[in-house]
Amino acid sequence: MSSRPLSLQSLPPISPTTTPPRSQTTLKPTLPAHNSTAGTPLYISCATNGSRSRSRNRSPDDYRSTLQALNSKGRVPRKSLGQHYMLNSDINEQLASAAHVEEGDVVLEIGPGTGSLTNVLLNAGAFVLAIEKDPYMASLVSERFASTERFKVLKEDFVKCHIHSHMTLLLGSKKSLDDPMSRYAKVVSNIPFNISTEVVKLLLPMGDIFSEVVLLLQEETAVRLVQSSLRTSEYRPINIFVNFYSDPEYKFKVPRTNFFPQPNVDAAVVVFKLKQAADYPRVSSTKSFFSMVNSAFNGKRKMLRKSLQHICTSIEIEEALGSVGLPATVSCQDQRSLPWMTL
């Protein structure tokens, strides 16, 4: 492959002597914005001989080295895959810390990219199973961590792969008779924003596999998923789903300037502590329950006895509402009074 730097229209030139400052104890937008200057061909270029005294203290997964890794495969971030690479290892450390990752843990990572978070997880002593849709990125991290037996990457689309089967087999091979928690894995991922809801819906019902799920999400999504007690017009079936299967917690905000390329929004870290089946709200059928919830929300201004009449008769619905002290004319828009809102 040619050593000539890769030409781009969306990135500014990077000075070989510029070292983006590393964040300290608080997360502040300390890295330079990577916006374009229209009309002029721009290049990805990487420093070759910067200050050695400074590079000793600098993260191996900063702005410059991320570009170098992408150049090594002749790649640019693909918008269709929602690729935004983390440039701040302090944030990766906090992601791992939020999941209490320690030696011997089995961790699932979705979209490892150049391996910046993967590196932190491996340094913590975890075994990492990574799912990467982009074959070039899968090849990159496979080469980067070829020297360790605690890393495996699967070239698959996460939303289509059989993750439950993969994890069941992996946990079976790693199970320790001395540690009952070894039967559970963890998820720690900086996921593409455009598949956030799909990932949440796939992972949260897997309390038999995962003990906790730590995700870096778009901040607006993170707030909407966690602050369900607001009972606003933004309240959706996904809020009921999240609280049915987990106990969510908003951890901290991540400014957009910590990513390459820089997205148009900030991000945030959310921890979902997954519930066991015995701890789920008592319903006769989860499938029927969520079908009812979706039907109710699809007609928020309709009376529930109308919205749910395809599930059971109006008389049955009125009797059920009466048993919890609600009038027969109640609608889903009366959110504060509906029983499932307390999940």
Side-chain angles (χ1 to χ4, degrees), residues 57-174:
N57 297 321
R58 185 159 46 83
S59 160
D61 289 291
D62 61 4
Y63 184 25
R64 192 170 296 106
S65 58
T66 296
L67 301 187
Q68 189 173 36
L70 293 172
N71 273 327
S72 72
K73 295 293 180 182
R75 306 301 294 165
V76 296
R78 295 175 61 185
K79 185 176 180 180
S80 63
L81 295 180
Q83 291 176 332
H84 295 280
Y85 301 108
M86 173 56 63
L87 305 176
N88 190 331
S89 279
D90 286 345
I91 294 172
N92 286 329
E93 293 281 357
Q94 291 182 63
L95 270 167
S97 178
H100 307 289
V101 175
E102 55 189 26
E103 189 170 354
D105 281 349
V106 175
V107 177
L108 170 68
E109 183 184 5
I110 304 162
T114 59
S116 62
L117 176 57
T118 314
N119 189 52
V120 171
L121 296 172
L122 290 172
N123 286 341
F127 181 98
V128 179
L129 174 65
I131 309 292
E132 177 57 69
K133 182 177 180 179
D134 187 333
Y136 294 94
M137 292 296 98
S139 175
L140 189 154
V141 292
S142 182
E143 293 171 9
R144 176 175 180 177
F145 302 112
S147 61
T148 178
E149 296 181 351
R150 291 186 290 108
F151 176 74
K152 180 179 182 181
V153 60
L154 300 177
K155 300 177 187 179
E156 296 189 43
D157 181 347
F158 177 77
V159 299
K160 296 179 181 179
C161 76
H162 301 288
I163 192 61
H164 196 282
S165 298
H166 289 315
M167 296 305 302
T168 299
L169 290 173
L170 181 57
L171 286 172
S173 66
K174 302 291 180 184

Side-chain angles (χ1 to χ4, degrees), residues 238-255:
I238 187 64
N239 296 106
I240 297 172
F241 180 92
V242 166
N243 286 278
F244 188 100
Y245 288 113
S246 73
D247 293 314
E249 181 185 359
Y250 181 105
K251 298 300 286 188
F252 57 89
K253 178 180 177 179
V254 179

Side-chain angles (χ1 to χ4, degrees), residues 305 312-328:
R305 65 183 181 184
C312 47
T313 67
S314 294
I315 294 177
E316 289 174 319
I317 296 171
E318 289 177 17
E319 289 178 350
L321 291 172
S323 69
V324 292
L326 295 177

